[in-house]
Amino acid sequence: MTQRYRVFFKEIQKNFGERIFKITVNAGLTCPNVDGTKAKGGCTFCQESSYTGLTFQPGDSIQKQISSGMEYVKKRHKTAAFFVYFQNGTNTYAPLDRLKTIYETPFLFEDIKGMMIATRPDCLEKEVVDYLGELNQRTWLWVELGLQSHRNDILKKINRAHTVEDFVKASHELAEKKIKTSAHVILGLPGEEPSDSRSKACFLNTLPISAVKIHNLVVFKNTVLEKQFRQGLYDPLTLDDFTDQCIAFLEHLRPDILIQRINAHGPRDQTIAPDWSVNKWAALNSIHLEMEKRDSWQGKKLNIFFKSKAKLQEIKTNLLKDESIGLLG
Ligand code: SF4
């Protein structure tokens, strides 16, 4: 079944002419939302162990994590090229010298084609953005910026301790350095309405971002969200509701924005709710089938941007033909 949205890794594969695998690395950095600098306790949903890489062993150096990850993939695939993904914590939250030591490590490996750095929009000092600009000249760099919600009242509710304005500022500063930015959003946050999925996409359309990572909200063990869930203060989305919201989001999203993922799942033994989220394919299959059934596609409802029906039709045809739109040249 053709995916009716612009799949990130397919576009990357076209660009490099080979399949690219992602190696998740834990650089050992903390977060200003955890260490008390911005807030305490972290985001209400955050549980770091729910997103540790497959081959990660506590104490492993960055170099060791990269070589173990590459070895693991190479055993299963004849040839392989890689992106290193710095995921855990806030990966620009350290003195510049330490960041430089971390981000020079992938250059020791020939098969590493690019880097993805996940961070918060309020942790990008000018000297860090300048350094990322330099890195961007030497490798394929993506900065993944956490937004989660386009509403400050919701950000407050989930204890993000940054604002929507921080995100706008950071995305523009990165764009000035020609760094590709990916926005991380969650659908169905406590306090959000179903219509927020639509307005979240419309908000992102106004920003210089190149990709989006969409997550459903998962209640992990030992989080504030778990307490809220047990007290009846948070009701997770059903699979049908998440499917509806995700499709509404995609239909209102600019068709040039690449989709890095459309759902989240964690280890079964760490997941409290919703049950369907532990099955990676449940959400993917539901969204793909429903998009097909509704003849839905990324950008379908964007008549504000593309008033001409012919232009919208052209976008749809290209998506379904799976044609590259040369975004990554
Ligand atoms: S900003 Fe990221 S690492 Fe920090 S508490 Fe929130 S989710 Fe966790």
Side-chain angles (χ1 to χ4, degrees):
M1 189 184 296
T2 310
Q3 276 117 329
R4 291 167 163 256
Y5 52 89
R6 190 76 58 195
V7 180
F8 178 81
F9 270 101
K10 275 194 192 166
E11 200 71 27
I12 300 288
Q13 190 170 340
K14 280 176 206 150
N15 192 77
F16 285 97
E18 62 185 327
R19 198 162 165 203
I20 303 283
F21 294 83
K22 197 171 68 178
I23 298 172
T24 302
V25 166
N26 184 343
L29 298 181
T30 179
C31 170
N33 210 12
V34 171
D35 71 5
T37 304
K38 296 285 302 227
K40 278 200 174 140
C43 304
T44 56
F45 53 81
C46 181
Q47 193 228 46
E48 203 174 347
S49 59
S50 63
Y51 45 78
T52 293
L54 273 179
T55 54
F56 176 72
Q57 296 294 330
D60 278 357
S61 67
I62 293 173
Q63 201 166 338
K64 173 82 173 90
Q65 291 179 59
I66 296 174
S67 55
S68 309
M70 284 170 55
E71 200 182 319
Y72 178 86
V73 175
K74 281 179 172 173
K75 270 188 196 150
R76 287 155 183 82
H77 304 271
K78 270 190 196 147
T79 55
F82 304 89
F83 275 9
V84 177
Y85 177 33
F86 293 93
Q87 181 180 26
N88 305 60
T90 297
N91 289 286
T92 54
Y93 184 54
L96 188 58
D97 283 350
R98 179 156 179 213
L99 295 180
K100 285 185 175 173
T101 308
I102 292 170
Y103 298 125
E104 287 307 315
T105 312
F107 290 102
L108 301 173
F109 299 86
E110 208 180 299
D111 293 334
I112 303 294
K113 306 292 181 195
M115 252 185 257
M116 296 156 136
I117 297 176
T119 191
R120 292 167 54 90
D122 58 348
C123 283
L124 285 162
E125 301 298 326
K126 188 183 176 311
E127 59 175 12
V128 173
V129 176
D130 288 344
Y131 171 59
L132 294 176
E134 281 169 37
L135 268 186
N136 192 43
Q137 309 280 325
R138 298 164 57 205
T139 189
W140 254 64
L141 177 68
W142 286 79
V143 173
E144 184 179 309
L145 272 188
L147 171 65
Q148 320 312 354
S149 180
H150 60 308
R151 286 174 46 183
N152 278 330
D153 61 328
I154 303 292
L155 293 182
K156 212 165 179 184
K157 221 174 193 157
I158 59 173
N159 197 37
R160 282 291 292 179
H162 69 69
T163 62
V164 172
E165 291 72 21
D166 289 329
F167 186 92
V168 173
K169 181 171 173 279
S171 66
H172 282 285
E173 286 172 356
L174 292 168
E176 273 169 30
K177 299 279 177 195
K178 301 202 178 336
I179 297 167
K180 292 176 280 301
T181 302
S182 163
H184 190 295
V185 294
I186 297 176
L187 304 183
L189 286 164
E192 283 191 341
E193 302 295 329
S195 62
D196 279 310
S197 301
R198 201 171 57 216
S199 45
K200 200 172 282 191
C202 294
F203 169 75
L204 291 175
N205 289 339
T206 65
L207 298 174
I209 58 160
S210 306
V212 166
K213 194 177 258 189
I214 309 163
H215 276 197
N216 44 289
L217 186 56
V218 180
V219 182
F220 287 116
K221 271 187 186 165
N222 304 322
T223 59
V224 175
L225 191 63
E226 180 188 1
K227 281 191 200 125
Q228 293 172 342
F229 170 72
R230 295 204 185 282
Q231 288 165 2
L233 300 173
Y234 171 65
D235 216 3
L237 294 182
T238 63
L239 178 54
D240 285 349
D241 288 342
F242 177 65
T243 300
D244 276 343
Q245 292 201 21
C246 192
I247 293 175
F249 179 91
L250 290 169
E251 287 182 338
H252 288 83
L253 193 68
R254 280 187 351 237
D256 62 286
I257 294 177
L258 302 176
I259 309 301
Q260 285 186 303
R261 59 188 300 168
I262 55 171
N263 70 321
H265 66 283
R268 192 176 287 271
D269 64 346
Q270 294 299 313
T271 302
I272 302 291
D275 286 345
W276 56 265
S277 70
V278 294
N279 176 359
K280 176 184 170 182
W281 297 104
L284 282 174
N285 288 340
S286 171
I287 292 161
H288 292 167
L289 281 170
E290 202 54 32
M291 286 185 92
E292 188 86 16
K293 209 159 105 190
R294 299 182 194 180
D295 189 23
S296 169
W297 37 279
Q298 183 180 343
K300 181 180 180 179
K301 301 273 172 71
L302 275 184
N303 39 5
I304 308 165
F305 285 87
F306 306 105
K307 287 208 167 70
S308 115
K309 275 199 175 151
K311 183 68 192 163
L312 271 175
Q313 190 53 44
E314 184 193 320
I315 291 166
K316 177 186 175 185
T317 309
N318 284 342
L319 260 177
L320 297 188
K321 274 200 302 198
D322 205 18
E323 284 204 343
S324 171
I325 48 176
L327 294 168
L328 306 174

